[in-house]
Amino acid sequence: MAPRENTFETTPDDSARPTRIVVVGGVAAGMSAAARARRLDESAEIVVLDRGEHVSFAGCGLPYHVGGEIASADALLVQTPDSLRAALNLDVRTRHDVVALDAAARTVTARTPDGDRTIAYDALVLAPGAQAVRPPLPGIDSPRVRTLRTVPDAVTLRGWVGAGARRAVVLGAGFIGLEAAEQLAAAGLDVALVELADHVLPPLEAELASLVRDELTRLGIAVHEATAATAVEPGPEHDVVVLGDGARLPADLVVLSVGVRPDTAVFEAAGIATERGAIVVDAHGRTSLPGVWAAGDAVVSTHAVTGARRPVPLAGPANRAGRQVADAILRPATARPIPPAVGTAIVRVGTLAAGLTGANRAELDAAGIAHHTIHLHPSQHAGWFPGATQVHLVLHVGEDGRILGAQAAGADGVDKRLDVLATSIRGGLTAEDLVDLDLAYAPPFGAAKDPVNLAGMLAANVLDGTLRLWHAADLDDVEATALVLDVRSAAEFASAHLPGALNVPHTELRARLAEVRDAAAGRPVRVTCQSGVRAHIAHRVLVANGFDSASLSGGMLTLRAALGRAADARLVTEEVLAR
Amino acid sequence: MAPRENTFETTPDDSARPTRIVVVGGVAAGMSAAARARRLDESAEIVVLDRGEHVSFAGCGLPYHVGGEIASADALLVQTPDSLRAALNLDVRTRHDVVALDAAARTVTARTPDGDRTIAYDALVLAPGAQAVRPPLPGIDSPRVRTLRTVPDAVTLRGWVGAGARRAVVLGAGFIGLEAAEQLAAAGLDVALVELADHVLPPLEAELASLVRDELTRLGIAVHEATAATAVEPGPEHDVVVLGDGARLPADLVVLSVGVRPDTAVFEAAGIATERGAIVVDAHGRTSLPGVWAAGDAVVSTHAVTGARRPVPLAGPANRAGRQVADAILRPATARPIPPAVGTAIVRVGTLAAGLTGANRAELDAAGIAHHTIHLHPSQHAGWFPGATQVHLVLHVGEDGRILGAQAAGADGVDKRLDVLATSIRGGLTAEDLVDLDLAYAPPFGAAKDPVNLAGMLAANVLDGTLRLWHAADLDDVEATALVLDVRSAAEFASAHLPGALNVPHTELRARLAEVRDAAAGRPVRVTCQSGVRAHIAHRVLVANGFDSASLSGGMLTLRAALGRAADARLVTEEVLAR
């Protein structure tokens, strides 16, 4: 066994002020904990151990170096051990791979280029992060298959791109996979993107994910959904990625981004409590072992909306939890609890941004939380101001009006609406509260009724029964049992409509109610328009006139997106009519 | 007297369902009330009266037509009486200038091109808006002096720009004045902008307003602050605007935008209760007259933070209040109260956006609300991602941590942070809650610690004493009684620093504490750096070593901006040193 690096006494009492804080992991949570600890305690010895060559690097920037949007890898190195020593008097030790924890002795052992080192601590912060999942496929260890977790990973891939790689396969269309695919395509490679789930960006609802798929396609990326790699066949010139659906994709490089798992084996071996591999912590980041705290991607987090327990591998929550762990260690009397995770995330794909906050439909269903879902497609700023584009919004609200989750996609203003909705979820706001938000309006920035206000109005209308919705998922039922009333203009109707739909423009509806009544012949009327606005107006007219009516949530825009590739088969289009 | 237009019975009981709703004013609040009323009641007769030629026009777009950014005035006409008739069965009557209200008889009288018309109502909604203030100056009635309140106003000014106007004077540097000045400059005119208050955009704190002034100057606009026009001298070729400071500004056109006042004389004459000319309403928009509601720029509103009562001439609150008045009339049992106004506003000036939400320093002081103010200058997205620019943030928090007000300026991401902070104010969130916000982060959109998170951390540090600030306003005191310790690099220090400051870069501070102690000679140490980040680190080191220390809020960036044009006289610059 290697010699103990030092011999000072450890402090057996957790409540005593520690003299030496050891942090395992020097990126988001770990470095935040270390930096905050120094600001709170000038005299503590603070040691940061990291197995890699670099600490405090910009993990979220790695895909952007691969494609060259971040030209220099140096830009990714936000801090160095030297700069951290100079500014914060931190003792940062890279190439220190912690391989053992002895909680009774209050030591960790790190494997280093110079042999093992055992390091004593008074307080230990575990921020080991997550490691990329590597599915056990034939050929997965081909040197052309790379994950994208470290600066050297990004530099290697960037090197291959610079050296003339032409064909890339990205396995996994989550956030990092999408960024990698976008960047590789922007660098001129032929890119194929493979996703096991039914659609790219699986946490996104299908009706928004299809917008992402369309944008990927527009960027020239070949999207393979609902299939997975079954093997990688290495070759002398290039590899071939074989998919479950039989496709064979030649690849000069393969980016593996099918998920991450907490990197906790060493700590599990030391007896720390975990759930499905993630470290269990209390509200202050304290683990089951005395004197040991944890934060970041390796830790179980509680979902703010559903209460589900799972790791949340996001940089923001990791940074903030690390900071709060330092408070818990150094100011236990006043430290605030680490809040449950709202789980906000966003990705840029070409000219599109797409993201989500709170719970999605699947999570709400899994948690048994009853909810209404609304869709809308307002302009990101006043429609009459140049440059207006649509923000496609999905909002899930509870029966009590509480905002449970929201998703958005569009060319502009998506991040802003997600942030307002994330803030609303954190603040426990309701649909009616969204109506009341005084958001910043001038024509270049928003609208007198901001998309978030409109979402609140729409949801409030649904909750109080002013508006009754039908959804794309109801389409089979509706076609079997109801009259579809399409209140768009004749030209819009002609371009694509549901089979059997009656077209009465909303401006003519009051005068043509008898016609609707005849066509309905006692059936319910299910109204649609392009985005849901005109159908709402028509719905109110119909209800006032005694009809059983409902309005298609998000209109034909949402319906088409929800149907995805099946839309052409379900709609009567001009092309169909021309046959 | 003109004949009564109709003879149906009015409803003496307010709680009865009205059969005829008359709305006075067909723009934001009025048209929202009318449209919502129709969606709630298909059978009511809904009449909208407006004195102008147009209803439902884009009032906030008018400056952008003057400069041509909105090329066609048609784009400003969002709806027409015909389109409103077709979609919503509204009876919209333009050129109907309401000149009398008889609340006992439940009638209004409108002056029309065809004579006076008296119109009966069951429920009356007053949304007359505001009119431009016209100070009683000699020459103010020159035809070259125009306000910018209607589509014809914008068309006229646009016409003059197209016909070769070269010199413009804009009187009043509020939101509309700034937009008009920016647009006229963009159209190639020489523009002078005149503001009575000490700085442009008076509701903005001086330390942000100076960024707006700098941008105006960069756009070639001549900014005259702390002065006002005393006369307009009309001439055959052009007018001359004479300022209080003696300047004489030739003008081919003058835009008058020195403020607005509620347009309520007719209703005051009818006995409606007002406060300083604004109609008093209850939480449901009900006025002192039975059967009469009011909303929009003509109505007194309560400030959500300070409780101050004044009209809030903003499109968003007007639209939403109009909608809620319709609820109050048609669904009195379930109508929600109209919330107090948070008062969020923003303006684009060239490449800069600047805005505010909640209360500013002057409003807080006037209300006697104790508060802390913090300044920060983080990047709008990850600093290592291309295109990073600073968001300059000011945050006012109460002693209890409550967010009281926030302001922001910068090239990008300003509207988003204002909206998150506006939502936080509406939700009653505290500084600590801002720390906990899970905001959407990917490198193109934000940072793992978003500017709003950072603002929360900074404010929480101030509230719990971890950070003690000093402010630009304390400069005289500090120079007289303290050692200024500048912890920037030697090069930064050389470029501009406070006289008498000691320069010890923060990375050298721990080794040079004795030097600081000697220089302080018992005086407090007041630390500064460029933006406040390094000074905070240094402050913590100093406190741990027994110094009386405080850190300059927002660093030299905020100090210079707060000093404005006085900065050069207060700082030692390289230029000074070179003399």
Side-chain angles (χ1 to χ4, degrees):
Chain A
M1 186 171 170
R4 284 187 57 160
E5 190 177 67
N6 68 59
T7 55
F8 64 68
E9 292 296 312
T10 58
T11 314
D13 177 5
D14 274 6
S15 68
R17 200 170 177 79
T19 53
R20 182 186 245 198
I21 300 170
V22 172
V23 177
V24 178
V27 192
M31 200 49 76
S32 290
R36 174 70 169 174
R38 172 57 70 226
R39 289 194 299 271
L40 296 184
D41 188 341
E42 179 64 13
S43 62
E45 187 181 1
I46 302 173
V47 180
V48 180
L49 308 176
D50 197 285
R51 78 156 63 96
E53 298 171 50
H54 306 290
V55 291
S56 200
F57 64 87
C60 300
L62 300 177
Y64 297 96
H65 181 57
V66 174
E69 187 162 347
I70 296 176
S72 165
D74 291 343
L76 300 172
L77 302 174
V78 178
Q79 297 285 350
T80 66
D82 284 348
S83 72
L84 291 162
R85 164 75 72 185
L88 293 168
N89 192 24
L90 301 182
D91 177 357
V92 178
R93 307 180 191 179
T94 56
R95 302 177 197 270
H96 274 59
D97 186 12
V98 172
V99 292
L101 161 62
D102 184 338
R106 299 216 172 196
T107 63
V108 290
T109 301
R111 188 149 295 157
T112 82
D114 304 319
D116 285 2
R117 292 280 180 275
T118 293
I119 301 156
Y121 62 81
D122 300 294
L124 178 67
V125 178
L126 302 180
Q131 56 185 203
V133 171
R134 293 187 73 90
L137 301 180
I140 195 76
D141 293 326
S142 159
R144 292 199 185 91
V145 179
R146 300 292 300 207
T147 58
L148 191 43
R149 302 285 300 166
T150 66
V151 173
D153 287 342
V155 168
T156 298
L157 286 164
R158 175 89 196 121
W160 292 350
V161 168
R166 292 187 299 109
R167 293 159 300 186
V169 173
V170 177
L171 297 178
F175 290 93
I176 295 169
L178 289 178
E179 289 171 342
E182 183 222 51
Q183 286 293 304
L184 289 164
L189 280 74
D190 288 333
V191 180
L193 178 62
V194 181
E195 172 55 48
L196 175 64
D198 281 347
H199 57 72
V200 297
L201 210 56
L204 215 63
E205 310 299 0
E207 60 266 37
L208 292 186
S210 72
L211 304 177
V212 178
R213 184 184 49 236
D214 291 349
E215 180 67 7
L216 289 163
T217 304
R218 195 188 68 78
L219 296 172
I221 296 167
V223 179
H224 300 259
E225 293 173 322
T227 188
T230 53
V232 176
E233 296 177 358
E237 300 296 321
H238 58 80
D239 291 0
V240 172
V241 178
V242 184
L243 303 189
D245 64 8
R248 295 177 56 82
L249 309 175
D252 300 317
L253 65 89
V254 179
V255 176
L256 183 61
S257 57
V258 298
V260 296
R261 69 162 63 95
D263 194 357
T264 54
V266 166
F267 311 109
E268 286 190 292
I272 207 164
T274 60
E275 275 180 29
R276 279 166 291 149
I279 298 172
V280 175
V281 291
D282 71 6
H284 293 283
R286 190 182 293 262
T287 72
S288 63
L289 299 179
V292 182
W293 286 257
D297 295 2
V299 160
V300 177
S301 180
T302 301
H303 194 294
V305 173
T306 65
R309 292 171 58 80
R310 73 278 177 267
V312 174
L314 291 172
N319 273 280
R320 290 179 279 115
R323 182 175 181 274
Q324 287 188 255
V325 160
D327 285 9
I329 294 170
L330 292 164
R331 291 176 167 180
T334 59
R336 292 186 309 118
I338 297 166
V342 169
T344 311
I346 190 168
V347 65
R348 187 196 72 187
V349 178
T351 60
L352 192 77
L356 70 165
T357 183
N360 64 17
R361 191 183 283 134
E363 290 171 319
L364 292 170
D365 288 344
I369 299 173
H371 59 279
H372 297 278
T373 300
I374 63 159
H375 300 83
L376 61 166
H377 312 273
S379 295
Q380 97 283 28
H381 64 50
W384 38 261
F385 193 77
T389 59
Q390 285 179 309
V391 175
H392 305 279
L393 272 173
V394 178
L395 189 71
H396 303 297
V397 298
E399 299 286 354
D400 60 356
R402 195 68 69 94
I403 311 304
L404 303 174
Q407 307 201 346
D412 186 28
V414 166
D415 55 331
K416 178 164 76 171
R417 275 61 185 216
L418 287 173
D419 280 0
V420 169
L421 290 161
T423 304
S424 300
I425 293 173
R426 179 66 80 202
L429 302 193
T430 65
E432 292 182 337
D433 293 323
L434 297 188
V435 176
D436 290 346
L437 293 179
D438 279 347
L439 302 173
Y441 168 48
F445 303 106
K449 289 173 183 154
D450 188 86
V452 175
N453 297 136
L454 292 172
M457 292 175 187
L458 196 47
N461 281 336
V462 169
L463 287 161
D464 71 14
T466 305
L467 176 59
R468 181 177 163 201
L469 294 177
W470 66 282
H471 288 273
D474 306 324
L475 182 57
D476 290 344
D477 264 5
V478 164
E479 291 192 328
T481 63
L483 170 69
V484 174
L485 175 66
D486 191 322
V487 298
R488 295 177 297 169
S489 70
E492 290 173 282
F493 182 77
S495 73
H497 60 262
L498 287 165
L502 174 67
N503 180 222
V504 178
H506 77 299
T507 51
E508 301 172 15
L509 180 60
R510 289 180 179 85
R512 292 173 63 183
L513 283 171
E515 195 179 326
V516 176
R517 204 176 303 274
D518 288 349
R523 292 176 295 166
V525 178
R526 294 296 174 258
V527 193
T528 181
C529 65
Q530 189 66 4
S531 69
V533 174
R534 288 170 285 176
H536 176 201
I537 294 173
H539 167 76
R540 295 299 304 166
V541 172
L542 291 168
V543 167
N545 285 280
F547 286 86
D548 174 338
S549 163
S551 171
L552 176 60
S553 186
M556 297 299 284
L557 281 172
T558 293
L559 183 79
R560 292 191 76 139
L563 293 175
R565 289 168 173 168
D568 287 347
R570 296 298 295 262
L571 297 174
V572 181
T573 63
E574 283 176 331
E575 195 183 332
V576 171
L577 293 171
R579 276 178 206 151
Chain B
M1 186 172 167
R4 283 188 55 161
E5 190 180 67
N6 69 59
T7 55
F8 64 68
E9 293 296 312
T10 60
T11 314
D13 176 7
D14 274 4
S15 68
R17 199 171 177 77
T19 53
R20 182 186 248 197
I21 300 169
V22 171
V23 178
V24 178
V27 192
M31 199 51 74
S32 290
R36 174 70 171 175
R38 171 59 70 226
R39 289 194 299 271
L40 297 184
D41 188 341
E42 179 65 14
S43 61
E45 188 181 0
I46 303 172
V47 181
V48 179
L49 308 175
D50 198 283
R51 77 156 66 95
E53 297 170 50
H54 306 291
V55 291
S56 201
F57 64 86
C60 301
L62 300 177
Y64 297 98
H65 181 57
V66 173
E69 188 162 347
I70 296 176
S72 164
D74 291 343
L76 300 171
L77 302 173
V78 178
Q79 297 285 352
T80 65
D82 284 348
S83 72
L84 291 162
R85 164 74 73 186
L88 293 168
N89 192 25
L90 301 181
D91 177 358
V92 179
R93 306 180 191 179
T94 55
R95 302 177 198 271
H96 274 59
D97 185 14
V98 170
V99 293
L101 159 62
D102 184 338
R106 298 215 173 197
T107 63
V108 290
T109 302
R111 188 149 293 156
T112 82
D114 305 318
D116 286 2
R117 294 279 182 275
T118 294
I119 301 156
Y121 62 81
D122 300 293
L124 179 67
V125 178
L126 302 180
Q131 57 184 205
V133 170
R134 294 187 72 90
L137 302 180
I140 194 76
D141 293 325
S142 159
R144 292 200 183 91
V145 179
R146 301 291 300 208
T147 59
L148 191 43
R149 300 286 299 165
T150 67
V151 174
D153 287 342
V155 169
T156 297
L157 285 164
R158 173 92 195 120
W160 292 350
V161 168
R166 292 187 300 109
R167 294 159 301 185
V169 174
V170 177
L171 297 177
F175 290 93
I176 295 169
L178 289 179
E179 290 172 339
E182 183 223 50
Q183 287 290 304
L184 290 164
L189 280 75
D190 288 333
V191 180
L193 177 63
V194 181
E195 172 56 48
L196 175 64
D198 281 348
H199 57 73
V200 297
L201 210 57
L204 215 63
E205 310 301 358
E207 59 267 36
L208 291 186
S210 73
L211 304 177
V212 177
R213 183 184 51 235
D214 290 349
E215 178 67 6
L216 289 163
T217 303
R218 196 189 66 81
L219 295 173
I221 296 167
V223 179
H224 300 258
E225 294 173 321
T227 187
T230 53
V232 176
E233 296 177 357
E237 300 295 322
H238 60 79
D239 291 0
V240 172
V241 177
V242 184
L243 303 189
D245 63 9
R248 296 177 56 83
L249 309 175
D252 299 318
L253 65 89
V254 179
V255 176
L256 183 62
S257 56
V258 298
V260 296
R261 68 162 65 95
D263 194 358
T264 54
V266 167
F267 311 108
E268 287 190 289
I272 207 164
T274 60
E275 276 181 29
R276 277 164 294 146
I279 298 171
V280 175
V281 291
D282 71 8
H284 293 283
R286 191 182 292 262
T287 73
S288 63
L289 299 178
V292 183
W293 286 257
D297 296 0
V299 160
V300 177
S301 180
T302 302
H303 195 293
V305 173
T306 65
R309 293 172 58 78
R310 73 278 176 267
V312 174
L314 291 172
N319 272 280
R320 290 179 278 116
R323 181 175 182 272
Q324 287 188 254
V325 160
D327 285 8
I329 294 170
L330 292 164
R331 292 176 166 181
T334 58
R336 291 185 309 118
I338 297 166
V342 169
T344 312
I346 191 168
V347 65
R348 188 195 72 187
V349 178
T351 61
L352 192 78
L356 71 165
T357 184
N360 63 17
R361 190 182 284 134
E363 289 170 321
L364 291 170
D365 288 344
I369 299 174
H371 58 279
H372 296 278
T373 300
I374 63 159
H375 300 83
L376 62 167
H377 312 273
S379 295
Q380 98 283 26
H381 65 51
W384 38 261
F385 193 77
T389 59
Q390 285 179 307
V391 176
H392 306 279
L393 272 171
V394 178
L395 188 71
H396 303 297
V397 298
E399 299 286 355
D400 60 356
R402 196 68 70 93
I403 312 305
L404 303 174
Q407 307 201 345
D412 187 26
V414 167
D415 54 332
K416 177 163 77 172
R417 276 60 187 218
L418 287 172
D419 280 0
V420 169
L421 290 161
T423 304
S424 299
I425 293 173
R426 178 67 80 201
L429 302 193
T430 65
E432 292 182 337
D433 293 324
L434 297 188
V435 176
D436 290 346
L437 293 179
D438 280 346
L439 302 173
Y441 166 49
F445 303 106
K449 290 174 182 154
D450 189 85
V452 174
N453 297 135
L454 292 172
M457 291 174 188
L458 196 47
N461 281 337
V462 170
L463 287 161
D464 70 15
T466 304
L467 176 60
R468 182 178 163 200
L469 295 176
W470 67 283
H471 289 273
D474 306 324
L475 182 57
D476 290 344
D477 264 5
V478 164
E479 292 192 329
T481 64
L483 170 69
V484 174
L485 174 66
D486 191 322
V487 297
R488 295 176 297 168
S489 70
E492 289 173 283
F493 182 77
S495 73
H497 60 262
L498 286 165
L502 174 68
N503 179 220
V504 178
H506 77 299
T507 51
E508 301 172 14
L509 181 59
R510 288 180 179 87
R512 293 173 62 185
L513 283 171
E515 193 179 330
V516 176
R517 205 176 301 274
D518 287 349
R523 292 176 296 165
V525 178
R526 293 296 173 259
V527 193
T528 180
C529 65
Q530 189 66 3
S531 69
V533 174
R534 289 170 284 177
H536 176 200
I537 294 172
H539 167 74
R540 294 299 305 168
V541 173
L542 291 169
V543 167
N545 284 280
F547 286 86
D548 173 338
S549 164
S551 170
L552 177 59
S553 186
M556 297 299 284
L557 281 173
T558 294
L559 183 79
R560 292 192 75 140
L563 293 174
R565 287 168 175 170
D568 287 345
R570 296 296 297 263
L571 297 174
V572 182
T573 62
E574 283 176 331
E575 194 182 334
V576 171
L577 293 171
R579 275 179 207 150

